Amino acid sequence: MNLRTPLLSLLLLLTLPTQAQELYYPELKSLLDNSRQPFCFGVASGDPLDTAVVIWSRLYLEAPHQPQTVFWEVARDSAMTQTVRAGTRTTDAANGYTVKVDVNGLKPGQTYFYRFRHNDVYSPVGRTRTAAGPGQGDLLRLAVVSCADYRLGFYNAFGDIARRNDLDAVLHLGDYIYEYGSWGRMQKKTVRQHIPDKVCADLIDYRTRYAQYRCDPQLAEAHRLHPFIVIWDDHEIANDSYATGTRGGLSGEAWEARKAAGRQAYFEWMPLRENPEQSIVRSFSFGDLAELWMLDGRLTGRSPQAQSKADPELQNPERTMLGKGQREWLLQGVKSSRARWKLLGNQVVFSPMNDSRVFDRVPGIPMDRWDGYPFERQAIFDTLYQHNIKNVVVLTGDIHTSWAFELTAKPFDPGFYNPDTGSGVIGAEFVSPSISSFNFDEALPRIVAAEARRRLTKKSNNPHLRYLDLIHHGYMTLTLTREQARADWFFLPVREYSVAPGKLDASYYLEFNGNAVRKVGK
């Protein structure tokens, strides 16, 4: 364990301001809905287990305050008349007046409602749901999201998710915030400005940035109505990060301080369980239908990225995305799981990909995904094949675009993988588009995006690739039954605020014990 991170976190706590208004930049106040004070940031829930769920809120207080006591309650009905759990929680400036409660003693597979009270003021009523318990579970539906740059568009996808009543949870695979201020060539695409207008570097920066994002009404409503299961990617701290620094050159004490500030802000704002290590590595069971492992491919053990495919360091078998401890935890969990479906919540594209005719001019791009860590990826595949583990579904964000792969270790080896017979296939990888972060046609001319898609989908380049969209924003749903894992991609506009429902673009599925990812209807 790195002892410097806890020490730096302690230093941050000792230097925290005591006045609530000093927790944020003053510009934030213009975004707040004062009619909801002190619950300006709404409510949220997350990390659903079969008998427990985390509920969350955060006080915004105008004047200097001492520690505050908040009442919380959970009920079976939205009128809050059938209370099943209740209590109080004390909060103070050390955690930014966050109120987070791990509510236990609930029943499996049930919808619950919750709220908070500070003095005589109630929060909005939230809705949440526990996971299915042992012996339960014939249907699970998750919304899968990632990459929500506040500056580059409106959160219409979160608004559409909020309006859905058929979801068990929202799976957020990272880049919940972006740490940037103004940013080069993409500045002309900006529709909203970041607060503060600088790169986040310390605790007040990160707290303000999260507060700004949570003032968005569509994101706040999605949190109010659905439990979230979250992991970070890189932009919650800094771009292209790894365990000891960033590809941009941040390292040493400056990196450790920034990482400590970013992690603390993340745990303050996200409805996930507290733990002394501030780790996001954890698993969830949904009856015997599915088990989900949420991975940290950034801060737990990742080695620095290789520079290119020609970098001799790429072939170093000691290089790792997860770190030995996390990898062993994952593989032991998958081997011992009795769930029909094994789900991996993962930041970056896991499947091998041939994009040599697309990204060769920027050779560092492939090195940030699992292609840059081939020995560890092969070790994971080897375990799956050796133990005859199938029905694996990898869920991925990060890349801002939508993909469906047949999951196979060696897609370019015709002796191992046959796309016609499905030989070598043990599952699927489904990749969610960005909520709002730039995609191909926003960073490049649309004709270039079209040509990139043509090259990537060419069977001789990526025979295992079944679906690709490079230009739309939105979200994905994963629907699991005992017979099928189905991914549906929903697209929405981002340049203007909209309440229109998402447009279903494509649906692909994998049958239980199947070896092909197929388009629905074909």
Side-chain angles (χ1 to χ4, degrees):
M1 178 182 290
N2 184 352
L3 294 178
R4 296 171 67 187
T5 298
L7 290 173
L8 286 164
S9 296
L10 178 60
L11 223 77
L12 285 165
L13 290 174
L14 293 174
T15 57
L16 283 174
T18 57
Q19 296 188 11
Q21 63 264 40
E22 294 175 353
L23 298 176
Y24 314 104
Y25 281 76
E27 300 95 305
L28 177 69
K29 193 171 182 179
S30 65
L31 300 178
L32 300 175
D33 181 352
N34 291 324
S35 68
R36 300 174 67 180
Q37 196 169 345
F39 297 105
C40 297
F41 306 118
V43 298
S45 69
D47 275 12
L49 305 179
D50 58 347
T51 60
V53 69
V54 174
I55 61 173
W56 175 99
S57 192
R58 188 174 172 107
L59 303 179
Y60 180 84
L61 304 169
E62 286 283 4
H65 282 273
Q66 298 302 313
Q68 301 293 303
T69 298
V70 177
F71 171 79
W72 60 268
E73 59 183 328
V74 175
R76 294 189 183 92
D77 63 318
S78 60
M80 306 301 293
T81 62
Q82 302 174 42
T83 302
V84 296
R85 291 288 182 272
T88 60
R89 183 57 53 94
T90 299
T91 183
D92 57 30
N95 66 1
Y97 295 98
T98 296
V99 184
K100 191 186 295 189
V101 183
D102 190 358
V103 183
N104 291 277
L106 304 177
K107 292 184 178 181
Q110 298 294 311
T111 296
Y112 289 96
F113 300 86
Y114 64 95
R115 67 180 176 182
F116 301 86
R117 189 187 74 231
H118 179 256
N119 294 331
D120 296 325
V121 179
Y122 282 98
S123 73
V125 174
R127 183 184 68 191
T128 191
R129 185 169 178 81
T130 53
Q136 297 180 331
D138 293 321
L139 175 68
L140 174 69
R141 182 172 289 115
L142 304 171
V144 185
V145 299
S146 70
C147 304
D149 192 327
Y150 182 91
R151 303 164 306 162
L152 298 181
F154 291 94
Y155 289 169
N156 299 320
F158 282 126
D160 196 41
I161 288 169
R163 290 186 291 271
R164 296 185 67 140
N165 293 314
D166 60 346
L167 300 175
D168 292 283
V170 177
L171 198 65
H172 199 301
L173 298 175
D175 292 344
Y176 186 97
I177 64 161
Y178 278 71
E179 84 284 15
Y180 297 133
S182 300
W183 185 33
R185 61 177 182 170
M186 294 305 297
Q187 184 62 21
K188 65 182 180 180
K189 304 287 187 179
T190 297
V191 298
R192 303 188 287 188
Q193 298 296 328
H194 265 159
I195 301 174
D197 187 14
K198 63 185 284 289
V199 175
C200 293
D202 55 29
L203 190 55
I204 189 173
D205 296 342
Y206 286 109
R207 280 175 166 169
T208 302
R209 187 63 52 82
Y210 278 101
Q212 179 183 30
Y213 278 47
R214 291 292 267 274
C215 284
D216 181 276
Q218 296 185 101
L219 175 57
E221 193 69 349
H223 270 296
R224 184 179 75 87
L225 293 173
H226 301 295
F228 274 52
I229 302 172
V230 301
I231 49 175
W232 54 53
D233 192 14
D234 52 348
H235 289 289
E236 286 85 352
I237 312 291
N239 185 41
D240 284 353
S241 55
Y242 49 90
T244 59
T246 72
R247 192 153 54 174
L250 190 60
S251 61
E253 291 186 1
W255 164 245
E256 294 298 331
R258 186 163 167 181
K259 181 167 63 173
R263 289 176 84 144
Q264 178 175 334
Y266 187 85
F267 268 81
E268 286 180 2
W269 284 92
M270 295 294 105
L272 76 168
R273 280 183 179 80
E274 295 291 330
N275 62 84
E277 296 80 18
Q278 289 188 332
S279 172
I280 60 170
V281 178
R282 62 214 194 277
S283 64
F284 298 87
S285 293
F286 300 90
D288 63 354
L289 181 64
E291 192 162 355
L292 166 66
W293 291 267
M294 297 295 280
L295 306 180
D296 182 0
R298 287 293 174 189
L299 303 183
T300 293
R302 185 197 269 245
S303 306
Q305 295 91 340
Q307 295 303 306
S308 69
K309 296 174 185 176
D311 187 343
E313 186 63 20
L314 177 64
Q315 304 304 322
N316 182 348
E318 300 300 317
R319 296 183 67 255
T320 175
M321 176 81 77
L322 303 178
K324 181 180 179 181
Q326 183 180 183
R327 182 175 66 249
E328 291 179 348
W329 165 82
L330 170 64
L331 294 179
Q332 184 57 45
V334 172
K335 286 189 294 184
S336 62
S337 176
R338 296 182 178 274
R340 288 178 71 83
W341 298 99
K342 285 81 173 171
L343 313 180
L344 276 59
N346 160 70
Q347 287 87 352
V348 296
V349 172
F350 186 78
S351 294
M353 190 195 309
N354 176 15
D355 54 17
S356 60
R357 299 188 63 208
V358 177
F359 289 127
D360 264 9
R361 293 185 179 181
V362 278
I365 286 179
M367 300 300 98
D368 190 56
R369 62 182 189 247
W370 277 94
D371 276 334
Y373 301 81
F375 279 88
E376 184 172 49
R377 177 174 62 189
Q378 190 58 48
I380 294 171
F381 270 124
D382 286 346
T383 297
L384 298 176
Y385 285 108
Q386 289 165 10
H387 293 269
N388 195 31
I389 298 170
K390 300 186 69 175
N391 307 305
V392 178
V393 180
V394 179
L395 301 168
T396 300
D398 178 72
I399 201 170
H400 301 185
T401 43
S402 302
W403 309 65
F405 294 95
E406 291 183 337
L407 188 64
T408 178
K410 300 176 182 179
F412 315 118
D413 179 355
F416 185 88
Y417 166 65
N418 186 324
D420 297 321
T421 66
S423 175
V425 175
I426 56 172
E429 179 171 13
F430 299 131
V431 183
S432 176
S434 71
I435 293 288
S436 58
S437 301
F438 73 89
N439 47 31
F440 266 66
D441 67 322
E442 291 161 337
L444 301 166
R446 182 165 283 219
I447 190 171
V448 176
E451 177 62 15
R453 184 185 184 281
R454 187 191 71 80
R455 295 182 181 187
L456 286 165
T457 56
K458 195 173 181 180
K459 191 171 182 179
S460 59
N461 289 338
N462 291 292
H464 58 320
L465 179 59
R466 292 292 171 264
Y467 168 66
L468 175 62
D469 182 276
L470 298 175
I471 64 174
H472 291 100
H473 302 279
Y475 67 98
M476 179 179 79
T477 60
L478 177 73
T479 303
L480 299 180
T481 65
R482 303 190 74 80
E483 295 77 30
Q484 187 183 99
R486 169 174 166 161
D488 298 283
W489 285 266
F490 296 88
F491 295 152
L492 297 102
V494 298
R495 301 291 295 175
E496 64 281 329
Y497 182 91
S498 173
V499 295
K503 179 183 178 182
L504 177 63
D505 183 74
S507 302
Y508 283 77
Y509 69 95
L510 173 73
E511 292 181 347
F512 181 74
N513 283 336
N515 57 1
V517 172
R518 295 187 172 94
K519 186 173 184 179
V520 171
K522 288 190 176 181

